[in-house]
Amino acid sequence: MAKVISILMNKGGVSKTETSLNLAYGLSVKGKKVLLIDMDPSSNATSVILGLDNNLSEQGASQYKELFDKYISEGQPRILACYEAMHEYLKQTPYKYDIHDVLEDQKLDIHEAIQKTRFENLDLIPSSVALSTTDIKLKGSINPYNRLRRAIQKVEDEYDFILLDNQPFENSLSFNSITACYKEGDLIIAPTKISLGGIQGIDSTLHTILQWMQEVESLRYDFKLLITMKNRNGIDNKWTDILHETFGEYMFDTVIRYQGKPVADASMNRKILLETPKFGVAEDYQNFVDEVFSLS
Ligand SMILES: Nc1ncnc2c1ncn2[C@@H]1O[C@H](COP(=O)(O)OP(=O)(O)OP(=O)(O)O)[C@@H](O)[C@H]1O
Ligand SMILES: [Mg+2]
């Protein structure tokens, strides 16, 4: 049965997506069958894995205008025509279903949303901007927090690892992600950088998952902190040492260094760092992948 790993931190810009991508790719290169689920409406992981071009084009503006004209000719008021046209324009993705369909439509077979990728052992359930309203929609439903777990259970036998890249807020999407980690061996990885916001993120994330574990006793996952984007200065060194000392086995030995250019270049070219493993930060991610692999 697949080991479910959720990359979770109630804080933006701390390398959740970078970590998800490199872990998914690294495990797939080791011959493991991996499913990465993009649980973030900003769809950054989806863009990299599927190599999508996220830039606006002049042609895009014309497409939007054509849709607007269509709605106006149908007699829609201007502001509604603007909205409908924009919504329809943004909905044009190269995939038919994404994770918001899986979470909102319990009759949809999760297999319909799985995309093969350019990587042999790595499949993806993409995300889209439509996921941004899923949180509110789920809140009004019965059992809003076990949708993802139920869907995942239908493909658990087909993968060695199922990875979840999360958005940075505590809401029903993150609760679904936590609930999807329910069995012995499942893992929540909490990436964070050394900054006040990063430490506040640890505090908030720990609060969420400790509270959740108390309420839902059947959850049996492990938890591990991962220090990312570490600089070589006194504050980062001291905090990293003290966090290692205090968190002990709840923290990865590997620490990911801050290395701006290779990470920015890879992301701009829609590549995963480990695809060209010649930089220090890629070496760190390889050590991290090996550490996760050794846990399984
Ligand atoms: N080790 C690193 N060194 C330098 N830059 C990095 C490193 N890791 C990530 N970055 C950059 O930092 C930014 C945030 O990283 P990332 O998107 O992975 O964070 P995130 O936690 O997923 O953010 P969000 O909460 O918005 O989804 C990105 O521009 C990324 O390219
Ligand atoms: Mg992200």
Side-chain angles (χ1 to χ4, degrees), residues 193-195 227-242 255-258:
K193 58 182 177 185
I194 304 294
S195 66
I227 301 301
T228 59
M229 304 166 98
K230 181 184 168 293
N231 289 294
R232 272 189 293 175
N233 61 40
I235 296 173
D236 282 37
N237 291 342
K238 177 88 183 190
W239 269 97
T240 302
D241 288 349
I242 299 268
V255 168
I256 312 292
R257 77 193 72 180
Y258 181 88

Side-chain angles (χ1 to χ4, degrees), residues 247-296:
F247 276 73
E249 74 267 29
Y250 295 104
M251 181 164 152
F252 283 100
D253 292 336
T254 308
V255 168
I256 312 292
R257 77 193 72 180
Y258 181 88
Q259 206 175 7
K261 189 160 171 11
V263 178
D265 287 350
S267 138
M268 204 169 67
N269 295 315
R270 301 278 175 257
K271 283 256 167 9
I272 297 171
L273 262 177
L274 279 178
E275 284 185 79
T276 34
K278 56 181 176 178
F279 303 101
V281 59
E283 230 170 78
D284 296 341
Y285 267 120
Q286 187 58 54
N287 292 335
F288 164 68
V289 172
D290 294 344
E291 219 183 320
V292 173
F293 192 68
S294 72
L295 299 174
S296 55

Side-chain angles (χ1 to χ4, degrees), residues 6-22 40 42 44 165-169 189-205 224-230 255-258 263 281 285 288:
S6 184
I7 320 295
L8 186 83
M9 175 54 65
N10 296 346
K11 170 85 183 113
V14 291
S15 281
K16 291 182 294 300
T17 300
E18 200 60 54
T19 300
S20 305
L21 288 169
N22 283 285
D40 185 349
S42 53
N44 294 331
D165 178 26
N166 293 288
Q167 42 82 56
F169 307 108
I189 296 178
T192 194
K193 58 182 177 185
I194 304 294
S195 66
L196 183 57
I199 302 299
Q200 285 165 340
I202 302 176
D203 172 62
S204 161
T205 307
K224 266 184 187 283
L225 197 64
L226 172 71
I227 301 301
T228 59
M229 304 166 98
K230 181 184 168 293
V255 168
I256 312 292
R257 77 193 72 180
Y258 181 88
V263 178
V281 59
Y285 267 120
F288 164 68

Side-chain angles (χ1 to χ4, degrees), residues 1-174:
M1 272 224 278
K3 182 183 180 83
V4 182
I5 302 181
S6 184
I7 320 295
L8 186 83
M9 175 54 65
N10 296 346
K11 170 85 183 113
V14 291
S15 281
K16 291 182 294 300
T17 300
E18 200 60 54
T19 300
S20 305
L21 288 169
N22 283 285
L23 184 56
Y25 175 79
L27 291 170
S28 78
V29 167
K30 285 181 184 286
K32 295 293 169 188
K33 203 75 186 95
V34 181
L35 174 66
L36 174 63
I37 305 182
D38 190 348
M39 289 287 288
D40 185 349
S42 53
S43 316
N44 294 331
T46 299
S47 301
V48 173
I49 298 265
L50 298 183
L52 305 180
D53 181 4
N54 282 349
N55 294 323
L56 283 177
S57 63
E58 287 182 31
Q59 191 198 10
S62 307
Q63 278 173 12
Y64 159 69
K65 175 69 168 46
E66 271 173 36
L67 290 164
F68 171 82
D69 290 342
K70 182 187 88 178
Y71 283 111
I72 287 290
S73 69
E74 287 170 5
Q76 295 272 21
R78 178 179 289 268
I79 190 66
L80 214 56
C82 286
Y83 165 72
E84 297 284 5
M86 204 162 276
H87 193 65
E88 200 169 324
Y89 170 68
L90 291 173
K91 246 184 13 200
Q92 297 167 351
T93 54
Y95 36 88
K96 187 165 177 205
Y97 297 111
D98 64 61
I99 190 62
H100 104 276
D101 298 296
V102 175
L103 294 171
E104 291 180 24
D105 178 2
Q106 292 183 87
K107 292 199 198 95
L108 180 74
D109 180 355
I110 185 172
H111 291 94
E112 301 263 358
I114 295 177
Q115 297 284 318
K116 295 279 164 213
T117 72
R118 66 182 192 274
F119 308 111
E120 198 185 335
N121 291 319
L122 175 53
D123 292 350
L124 172 80
I125 298 187
S127 173
S128 74
V129 70
L131 185 65
S132 53
T133 50
T134 302
D135 172 44
I136 289 174
K137 288 179 190 150
L138 288 188
K139 273 181 187 146
S141 67
I142 301 168
N143 279 337
Y145 303 143
N146 60 13
R147 299 274 180 110
L148 184 62
R149 185 213 284 204
R150 282 212 197 141
I152 279 179
Q153 281 173 331
K154 293 186 189 122
V155 290
E156 254 174 354
D157 293 340
E158 296 164 36
Y159 293 95
D160 298 304
F161 291 92
I162 297 178
L163 268 50
L164 314 172
D165 178 26
N166 293 288
Q167 42 82 56
F169 307 108
E170 183 185 275
N171 58 22
S172 41
L173 294 178
S174 55

